[in-house]
């Protein structure tokens, strides 16, 4: 096993992608989260079966792992995904503090199958008001007051 790579874990992510796709759970994506050489959570795409556009394989695996470990930080865990994470999943992976990500297919492979995240990748670096999705900012001062209250909140749990 080189640099934490484990073909069994990756094959499990790919197996989940295939089995759950064929079962009608959602798209062809699977993921497993591993800690200390053990799978602690499995996830698969449940977008269509759960009517949840955020129920990607990586996100469902992160949710399960956090519930199992009773924490919001998966520091020390690794993720094996059947495909390169989309921008939403990548952000969730960073928020969850996973130490490493391994993936099989690329985002270009997914695009050839009809899952094209390129629009999102192109939109992210644009200023909010220049994105295709109409966005309008207002009541900023009121929202900033809440951040000031957070900054001074005693006993808060930082994340």
């Amino acid at each position: 096993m080189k640099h934490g790579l484990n073909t069994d874990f990756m094959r499990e992510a790919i197996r989940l992608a295939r089995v759950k796709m064929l079962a009608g759970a959602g798209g062809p994506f699977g993921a497993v989260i591993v800690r200390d050489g053990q799978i602690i959570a499995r996830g698969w795409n449940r977008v269509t079966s759960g009517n949840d556009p955020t129920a990607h394989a990586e996100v469902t695996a992160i949710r399960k792992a956090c519930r199992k470990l009773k924490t919001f930080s998966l520091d020390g865990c690794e993720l094996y995904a059947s495909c390169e994470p989309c921008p939403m999943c990548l952000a969730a992976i960073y928020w969850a503090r996973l130490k490493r990500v391994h993936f099989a297919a690329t985002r270009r492979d997914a695009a050839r199958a009809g899952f094209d995240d390129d629009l999102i990748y192109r939109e992210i670096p644009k200023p909010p008001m220049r994105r295709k999705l109409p966005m309008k900012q207002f009541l900023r001062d009121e929202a900033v007051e809440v951040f000031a209250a957070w900054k001074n909140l005693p006993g808060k749990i930082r994340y």
Side-chain angles (χ1 to χ4, degrees), residues 7 13 29 39-40 60-61 71 84 90 101 107:
T7 56
F29 302 94
I39 294 176
I40 59 167
T60 61
T71 181
E84 180 179 357
L90 184 60
V101 174
R107 70 191 213 202

Coordinates of all heavy atoms in Angstrom, one line a residue, residues 7 13 29 39-40 60-61 71 84 90 101 107:
T7 N -6.5 -0.5 -3.0 CA -7.4 -0.8 -4.1 C -8.7 -1.4 -3.6 O -9.7 -1.2 -4.3 CB -6.7 -1.8 -5.1 OG1 -6.3 -2.9 -4.4 CG2 -5.5 -1.1 -5.8
A13 N -15.8 1.7 -3.4 CA -16.5 2.9 -3.8 C -17.0 2.7 -5.2 O -18.2 3.1 -5.5 CB -15.5 4.1 -3.8
F29 N -22.2 7.1 -8.7 CA -21.1 7.6 -7.9 C -21.2 6.9 -6.5 O -22.2 6.8 -5.9 CB -21.3 9.1 -7.6 CG -21.3 9.9 -8.9 CD1 -22.5 10.2 -9.6 CD2 -20.1 10.3 -9.5 CE1 -22.5 10.9 -10.7 CE2 -20.1 11.0 -10.7 CZ -21.3 11.3 -11.4
I39 N -13.1 1.0 7.0 CA -14.2 1.8 6.4 C -15.1 2.2 7.6 O -15.6 1.3 8.3 CB -15.0 1.0 5.3 CG1 -14.1 0.8 4.1 CG2 -16.2 1.8 4.9 CD1 -14.7 -0.1 3.0
I40 N -15.3 3.4 7.7 CA -16.3 3.9 8.8 C -17.6 4.4 8.2 O -18.6 4.5 9.0 CB -15.6 5.0 9.7 CG1 -15.2 6.2 8.9 CG2 -14.5 4.4 10.5 CD1 -14.9 7.4 9.7
T60 N -23.0 12.2 1.3 CA -23.8 11.2 2.1 C -22.8 10.4 3.0 O -23.1 10.1 4.1 CB -24.6 10.2 1.3 OG1 -23.8 9.5 0.3 CG2 -25.7 11.0 0.5
A61 N -21.6 10.1 2.5 CA -20.6 9.4 3.2 C -20.1 10.3 4.4 O -19.9 9.8 5.5 CB -19.4 9.0 2.4
T71 N -18.9 13.7 15.5 CA -18.1 14.9 15.4 C -18.3 15.5 14.0 O -18.8 14.9 13.1 CB -16.6 14.6 15.5 OG1 -15.8 15.8 15.4 CG2 -16.2 13.6 14.5
E84 N -13.8 12.0 -9.4 CA -13.3 13.3 -8.8 C -14.4 14.1 -8.3 O -15.5 14.2 -8.9 CB -12.6 14.0 -10.0 CG -12.0 15.3 -9.6 CD -11.3 16.0 -10.8 OE1 -11.3 15.4 -11.9 OE2 -10.9 17.2 -10.7
L90 N -16.3 18.9 -3.1 CA -14.9 19.3 -2.7 C -15.0 20.3 -1.5 O -14.2 20.2 -0.6 CB -14.2 20.0 -3.9 CG -12.8 20.4 -3.7 CD1 -11.9 19.2 -3.3 CD2 -12.3 21.1 -4.9
V101 N -7.9 12.7 -0.3 CA -8.9 12.2 -1.2 C -8.3 11.4 -2.3 O -7.3 11.8 -2.8 CB -9.7 13.4 -1.8 CG1 -10.7 12.9 -2.9 CG2 -10.4 14.2 -0.7
R107 N -13.3 14.3 -13.6 CA -14.5 15.1 -13.9 C -14.8 15.1 -15.4 O -15.9 15.2 -15.8 CB -14.4 16.5 -13.3 CG -13.4 17.4 -14.0 CD -13.2 18.6 -13.1 NE -12.9 19.8 -14.0 CZ -12.3 20.9 -13.5 NH1 -11.9 21.0 -12.3 NH2 -12.1 21.9 -14.4

